[in-house]
Amino acid sequence: MLAIFTELADFLAFTLFGLTPNSKLGDAVHFFIEDTSKIFFLLLVMIYFIALIRASLNIERVRDYLAGKNKLVGYVMGSIFGAITPFCSCSSIPIFLGFTSGGIPVGITMAFLLTSPLINEVAVLLLLSIVGWEITLIYALVGLAIGIAGGMFLDLIHAERLLQPFARKAYESANPALSKVTGKASISFKERHEFAKQELQDIFSRVWKWVFIGVGLGAALHGFVPVSWVEGNLGDGQWWSVPLAVVLGIPLYSNATGVIPVMESLIGKGLPIGTTLAFCMSTVAASFPEFILLKQVMTWKLLATIFVLLLASFTVVGWILNAVNVS
Amino acid sequence: MKEITVLGSGCAKCIKAADLIKSVAAECKVAVNVTKETSPEVVMSYGVMSTPAIVIDDVLMHSGSIPEKETIKSWLVSNS
């Protein structure tokens, strides 16, 4: 079904624009047309249908579910909910405080917030259709594992001590019994449709520019960086290439949708999977603007801890995946 | 005079919500005072987790999205 986009790109790039196949520019333009048309099509369809399904899932219900859960279950479920519950980054502070004042441990809350940018259902389905199920599965598992392990670590070091005073007080005086389900349990199809339509407009207006940037970058890599160079210099998963990829990803900022075409291109060039994932996750999750937001509820010390924790886990994951891949 | 507060971190949606309320109020000729509240502590005190949220005369009316025009009208017209 998706071959139609390859044909469209063949026609536009080679027939209409008269570019030569296998030339640098021809390849780059072909990649750009194929990926933008494919991604936009998939996005429109997927966002709508996924939103239809999860219209009844809201943040209040997630909190009520997580409150009072066994800790271990809490980390896993917090991380999974982080992946599937949509929220805009401007809501991360109210969510943090809502969870905290509901008595949910900081680690579980952070498992939720750390996984959220890394994995979302749209990104997973896009990955699935572009780079195949193996890499998608690895990506999703790594994202969840980082959220779970990060959450556990934060509770281990008693991260609640490092919250801003008012947030710490809210946690200490929390009364989980007071929280109540505010979301409606059943909703009509019309309401689902309205919700899905709003979600589509909302996500699309936020994401479209990242698709162009991501595909543009992917296309440039695809057309102009020779495979032999990547394979010769980075292809064996040299140990230093992973931390380098993570550091390079910090100043670059994209969301999970924009980074997928870059991933596709890097893997196509023979960059090992560990290095590629380390780079992409660092681009998506370690972004200064969103970290600074958390300063409202955390001290610098905790903020720095979480940042270093993220960078370290991306690096370790990259090393492990490269090692497994090589052998 | 209704005291209306829009809770949120100052993101685009919260500003839009505040503007929409003002324009609906002008349309219905209801006197309102719309303020924006960005302090996380205050947002928390209303138990709000998704923004923008709308508080009218100290009662939380709505949270999580820009409210529909019709919904705003019903708030403004009722018991005024």
Side-chain angles (χ1 to χ4, degrees):
Chain A
M1 185 191 89
L2 295 173
I4 184 171
F5 297 104
T6 317
E7 283 162 24
L8 174 75
D10 281 344
F11 171 74
L12 284 177
F14 304 141
T15 313
L16 200 64
F17 300 156
L19 296 167
T20 326
N22 299 325
S23 68
K24 282 177 183 162
L25 187 64
D27 273 356
V29 171
H30 187 274
F31 183 98
F32 187 81
I33 295 172
E34 183 181 347
D35 266 35
T36 37
S37 57
K38 186 162 62 183
I39 290 176
F40 276 128
F41 170 78
L42 290 169
L43 274 182
L44 287 173
V45 176
M46 286 173 185
I47 296 173
Y48 179 81
F49 283 104
I50 292 167
L52 270 189
I53 297 168
R54 54 124 235 261
S56 47
L57 177 75
N58 62 34
I59 195 78
E60 284 80 13
R61 292 177 78 182
V62 170
R63 179 184 62 178
D64 294 343
Y65 179 85
L66 289 177
K69 275 275 173 306
N70 166 293
K71 262 198 166 175
L72 211 61
V73 178
Y75 299 125
V76 176
M77 291 315 289
S79 193
I80 291 176
F81 276 126
I84 60 176
T85 315
F87 65 90
C88 124
S89 66
C90 48
S91 275
S92 49
I93 295 302
I95 288 175
F96 184 92
L97 289 170
F99 278 25
T100 307
S101 61
I104 297 174
V106 175
I108 295 179
T109 306
M110 286 312 293
F112 180 89
L113 288 178
L114 290 178
T115 314
S116 177
L118 284 174
I119 316 177
N120 62 61
E121 66 292 338
V122 176
V124 165
L125 285 174
L126 270 182
L127 264 180
L128 203 59
S129 49
I130 288 176
V131 295
W133 70 269
E134 292 100 334
I135 292 175
T136 308
L137 188 68
I138 294 173
Y139 183 90
L141 288 179
V142 165
L144 289 176
I146 288 177
I148 295 166
M152 284 180 176
F153 175 80
L154 289 172
D155 276 344
L156 213 63
I157 62 164
H158 293 286
E160 67 275 4
R161 289 175 303 136
L162 301 172
L163 296 178
Q164 294 287 3
F166 80 91
R168 193 170 69 208
K169 226 171 86 195
Y171 176 63
E172 282 160 0
S173 58
N175 186 351
L178 281 181
S179 88
K180 55 189 183 303
V181 177
T182 40
K184 281 192 288 179
S186 70
I187 55 177
S188 69
F189 183 78
K190 191 171 169 291
E191 282 174 294
R192 280 183 191 268
H193 167 73
E194 280 303 317
F195 173 82
K197 215 173 72 187
Q198 257 193 22
E199 280 286 300
L200 185 58
Q201 286 169 351
D202 200 46
I203 300 180
F204 206 79
S205 66
R206 253 187 300 137
V207 150
W208 69 269
K209 55 182 181 293
W210 296 112
V211 174
F212 276 117
I213 295 170
V215 177
L217 209 63
L221 284 168
H222 181 78
F224 294 95
V225 178
V227 176
S228 54
W229 185 87
V230 176
E231 278 181 349
N233 291 285
L234 303 164
D236 296 332
Q238 284 85 343
W239 72 268
W240 49 264
S241 65
V242 177
L244 184 69
V246 171
V247 171
L248 279 178
I250 300 173
L252 300 174
Y253 169 63
S254 163
N255 72 11
T257 318
V259 88
I260 289 168
V262 179
M263 252 171 97
E264 176 191 8
S265 192
L266 288 173
I267 292 172
K269 288 291 169 191
L271 191 69
I273 175 83
T275 320
T276 309
L277 277 192
F279 174 73
C280 291
M281 291 194 155
S282 168
T283 310
V284 172
S287 77
F288 282 121
E290 286 179 14
F291 255 81
I292 297 302
L293 277 180
L294 287 173
K295 175 68 181 76
Q296 295 174 64
V297 290
M298 293 173 184
T299 56
W300 284 116
K301 201 172 159 192
L302 181 54
L303 216 54
T305 309
I306 295 175
F307 199 70
V308 171
L309 182 73
L310 273 182
L311 299 187
S313 38
F314 296 150
T315 308
V316 171
V317 163
W319 279 334
I320 294 174
L321 288 178
N322 280 352
V324 173
N325 209 27
V326 164
S327 61
Chain B
M1 179 77 125
K2 282 183 185 290
E3 280 297 327
I4 301 183
T5 314
V6 177
L7 306 174
S9 52
C11 57
K13 274 193 192 172
C14 313
I15 297 165
K16 264 193 213 154
D19 290 345
L20 184 65
I21 293 172
K22 278 184 206 161
S23 76
V24 173
E27 214 175 274
C28 308
K29 302 200 169 50
V30 177
V32 292
N33 180 28
V34 180
T35 44
K36 284 186 229 98
E37 180 57 69
T38 54
S39 149
E41 210 172 338
V42 176
V43 175
M44 179 181 71
S45 71
Y46 284 100
V48 164
M49 285 197 292
S50 36
T51 56
I54 317 292
V55 173
I56 299 180
D57 292 335
D58 239 22
V59 179
L60 179 67
M61 304 297 281
H62 176 90
S63 80
S65 63
I66 301 172
E68 298 275 323
K69 224 173 156 180
E70 288 306 313
T71 320
I72 299 175
K73 255 185 210 164
S74 71
W75 296 334
L76 294 180
V77 177
S78 71
N79 62 57
S80 55

